[in-house]
Amino acid sequence: MLFAVAALGIALFVLTLWASVVVFRMSDLPWWRRCLPLTLLLLSLVASLLRAFDVPEAANAAAFPLNAVAVVVALTEIRAARKRREPTGTVHGSRVDLDNPSAN
């Protein structure tokens, strides 16, 4: 059971780190929106470090929610960027001929 919990925590951390870096590299976003997921990730790491200073209550209360919010914010930005790049006239990634609706 402990192995499963550790694997889940590592997977969440890797997902958070990947998504935060992807958002940070988006040049079309304002700087504060690019930095927000990475800042939330760093805050969650600082909250996790509170366990080393024998403050587990604060670490337990803050670390996981900050990681979860960082993932949600980063994935929302990634999806919004994909929608902005998608040309008009497409439906779920497949091209639609707007001039000839019967061909769809």
Side-chain angles (χ1 to χ4, degrees):
M1 182 69 180
L2 182 61
F3 179 74
V5 171
L8 182 65
I10 291 169
L12 180 64
F13 174 74
V14 169
L15 174 67
T16 308
L17 183 63
W18 170 80
S20 299
V21 169
V22 168
V23 170
F24 187 75
R25 295 180 64 200
M26 291 181 183
S27 60
D28 58 332
L29 293 176
W31 67 271
W32 66 270
R33 281 177 55 192
R34 290 190 334 202
C35 295
L36 183 61
L38 198 56
T39 303
L40 291 170
L41 174 64
L42 292 175
L43 285 174
S44 72
L45 291 175
V46 168
S48 292
L49 283 175
L50 289 175
R51 288 185 185 100
F53 296 105
D54 204 25
V55 188
E57 297 85 14
N60 293 338
F64 181 75
L66 284 170
N67 267 333
V69 169
V71 168
V72 169
V73 168
L75 291 179
T76 303
E77 289 292 347
I78 291 170
R79 286 187 181 138
R82 285 183 182 163
K83 275 190 169 185
R84 284 191 301 269
R85 280 183 287 170
E86 185 176 280
T88 57
T90 61
V91 177
H92 301 294
S94 61
R95 299 215 178 266
V96 176
D97 188 4
L98 297 177
D99 295 327
N100 188 3
S102 62
N104 300 327

